[in-house]
Amino acid sequence: MPEAAQSSKVKMISVDTLTEHDWPSVRRIYEEGIATGDATFETSAPNWPEWDAAHLRSPRLVARGEDQVLGWAALSPVSRRQVYAGVAEVSVYVAAEARGQKIGQRLLRALVEASEQSGIWTLQAGIFPENIASLAMHKACGFTSVGKRKRIGRMDGRWRDTILMERRSDIVGLE
């Protein structure tokens, strides 16, 4: 499902399948997100086998520009229970040098489309209220706020809230 678009900073961006070969770049971008303090509760990036085991096999996407990975998106199951087989949690990360170019939005739109092709009917994301860019990106891609999860986790000695956002498919799970 390759996709290409023009950008003022990066001339050509394509979105395609994330593979193990991409892991060093994906991990670096993940670590950049962790370093912001507003992207995830995680404090370090896992190794490839751990990351691979925690994410659905498909879809896993990367945005490439000028022979480098600029961002990635993947899904994690929310539960092992069969009734939730069509519900997944979204992860989208963009390299620091590529932020502000709508690469995250391009990845998330492609992830939504690919998730529906994989039979996913609900996507969810837990986003720190301080992460204004991520909240706006998810809203632009059809996610709505379900509510605030107050004091859901502790990070660096302080309680953090998350905004729970959700996107229900218009084509999967309607029967």
Side-chain angles (χ1 to χ4, degrees), residues 18-100:
L18 183 159
T19 67
E20 184 175 359
H21 175 75
D22 297 313
W23 179 243
S25 296
V26 167
R27 183 180 175 138
R28 176 187 56 80
I29 293 166
Y30 193 18
E31 289 170 338
E32 290 174 357
I34 291 168
T36 69
D38 286 331
T40 179
F41 278 113
E42 295 298 333
T43 57
S44 63
N47 61 36
W48 169 256
E50 292 168 334
W51 187 93
D52 184 45
H55 291 82
L56 297 178
R57 295 278 177 247
S58 178
R60 296 174 174 186
L61 304 172
V62 291
R64 298 184 200 283
E66 299 173 6
D67 298 322
Q68 65 179 357
V69 174
L70 300 172
W72 63 272
L75 298 177
S76 303
V78 298
S79 176
R80 292 182 187 184
R81 297 163 120 188
Q82 188 57 37
V83 299
Y84 297 113
V87 182
E89 184 171 359
V90 172
S91 293
V92 180
Y93 287 81
V94 177
E97 71 273 10
R99 293 181 191 149

Side-chain angles (χ1 to χ4, degrees), residues 94-106:
V94 177
E97 71 273 10
R99 293 181 191 149
Q101 299 179 53
K102 300 212 180 274
I103 292 169
Q105 195 172 116
R106 198 167 294 139

